[in-house]
Amino acid sequence: MKFGKRLKQQIQETLPGWRDKFLSYKELKKLVRSISSAPTLLNGSFEYGRAEEEFVYLLNNEIEKFNAFFVEQEEDFVIRNKELQQRIQRVIDKWGPNGNHPSETDYKEEMAKIRKDIVDFHGEMVLLVNYSNVNYTGLAKILKKYDKRTGGLLRLPFIQKVLQQPFFTTDLISKLVKQCESTIDAVFPVEDEEKTREAREAIIVAGEGIFRNTVAALQSMQEIRRGSSTYGHFSLPPLNLPDSELIQSVQLNSPIPIV
């Protein structure tokens, strides 16, 4: 699948509030075509220099858009992670076996609500990692088109700049994803195969609002990394999915193969 179609599909499958935050790939592609097809825009000419400045200006605006959205989501995720941990502790302290008012019924009921929220939270974080991947890949591809069609040399210096941007740095989100999975393993342990199956089904039902989006994001991240037969300076590293029950539930129950 060509990147433009994949990006369009990703935008359609992501959360509604995120759809205008992705790379304006189609518009940038049109600009590249316009610059490369104009006979008067010779490399090194004054007109060419102005056209390149406009292209770079638009790219920088896109990066600012990515950074603003990514940082806002990242900060929100940090707060939500802390709130989830506090909710779990309050339920344990109140209705747990050693709580102030032990109640197995209330405990299970409240933990079920928290589990759903954790699944949704985990899914949104996977979507944000995918957001970073997709937009980086789009920038690399549009810069490659620009250099190829105009004879310019923008890609290498611009990508070096991109690698330092907040939206490309997903270390904190990856850490939160692992913490989220550790919480599920610790607070919602699965004791045998039958319970494992039931737990996975519960995950799908509980998180069905975001489940399809998460599956699509995981598939997209896999495809992006398989998209080139060679590994180069502009390639994303291989995707290393955590070996957790939550990720396995997505892979095993997905109608879309995740390989």
Side-chain angles (χ1 to χ4, degrees):
M1 185 187 296
K2 290 186 176 181
F3 179 77
K5 290 184 178 180
R6 179 183 291 132
L7 176 61
K8 183 178 180 180
Q9 184 180 37
Q10 282 294 297
I11 291 173
Q12 292 172 342
E13 292 173 341
T14 195
L15 301 176
W18 293 27
R19 289 174 184 164
D20 61 345
K21 310 301 182 183
F22 283 81
L23 179 70
S24 302
Y25 186 76
K26 188 174 181 180
E27 290 72 16
L28 289 166
K29 191 176 177 181
K30 286 180 180 178
L31 181 57
V32 170
R33 189 182 299 120
S34 175
I35 294 172
S36 63
S37 62
T40 57
L41 297 184
L42 301 175
N43 197 336
S45 68
F46 175 75
E47 292 82 3
Y48 176 87
R50 292 194 62 180
E52 185 172 279
E53 285 180 5
E54 180 186 0
F55 181 68
V56 171
Y57 175 78
L58 291 175
L59 287 178
N60 283 327
N61 282 346
E62 292 294 288
I63 288 177
E64 288 180 9
K65 176 177 71 178
F66 302 156
N67 285 339
F69 176 72
F70 187 90
V71 170
E72 180 182 11
Q73 293 300 313
E74 192 176 57
E75 291 174 349
D76 179 61
F77 289 160
V78 170
I79 294 171
R80 286 170 63 186
N81 181 61
K82 185 175 181 180
E83 289 175 343
L84 281 167
Q85 300 299 327
Q86 291 174 341
R87 283 178 61 192
I88 290 171
Q89 193 59 51
R90 283 198 297 269
V91 171
I92 292 173
D93 291 343
K94 186 172 184 179
W95 289 303
N98 299 315
N100 298 325
H101 305 284
S103 170
E104 184 177 357
T105 300
D106 290 336
Y107 179 84
K108 288 183 176 180
E109 182 179 330
E110 291 303 313
M111 281 301 190
K113 294 176 184 177
I114 293 174
R115 185 189 186 95
K116 179 187 181 304
D117 290 342
I118 290 177
V119 170
D120 286 346
F121 180 49
H122 180 276
E124 286 183 47
M125 289 191 290
V126 171
L127 290 179
L128 190 62
V129 173
N130 181 59
Y131 173 85
S132 172
N133 291 180
V134 168
N135 286 304
Y136 168 80
T137 301
L139 286 172
K141 286 185 176 293
I142 202 67
L143 285 161
K144 181 180 179 180
K145 284 183 183 294
Y146 181 88
D147 283 4
K148 183 178 180 180
R149 294 194 176 191
T150 68
L153 297 171
L154 275 182
R155 185 162 66 143
L156 180 58
F158 204 89
I159 287 297
Q160 288 175 337
K161 172 185 175 181
V162 169
L163 297 180
Q164 307 302 317
Q165 299 302 311
F167 88 89
F168 185 77
T169 308
T170 59
D171 292 351
L172 176 57
I173 296 300
S174 297
K175 181 180 179 181
L176 289 175
V177 168
K178 291 179 180 178
Q179 287 180 2
C180 187
E181 291 163 0
S182 295
T183 297
I184 287 183
D185 291 340
V187 181
F188 308 101
V190 178
E191 297 175 357
D192 54 43
E193 187 174 342
E194 178 63 21
K195 288 185 178 180
T196 298
R197 183 185 63 77
E198 292 175 356
R200 286 173 178 165
E201 290 175 355
I203 285 174
I204 302 309
V205 172
E208 97 180 336
I210 199 170
F211 174 68
R212 292 188 185 89
N213 300 335
T214 306
V215 169
L218 288 167
Q219 184 187 35
S220 175
M221 286 189 280
Q222 294 279 16
E223 288 178 348
I224 284 172
R225 286 160 171 77
R226 293 200 307 264
S228 173
S229 59
T230 58
Y231 183 84
H233 292 296
F234 311 109
S235 303
L236 286 163
L239 183 61
N240 183 22
L241 294 177
D243 184 21
S244 70
E245 291 294 336
L246 192 55
I247 288 293
Q248 288 176 30
S249 73
V250 171
Q251 292 177 306
L252 292 177
N253 291 280
S254 169
I256 306 170
I258 307 290
V259 296

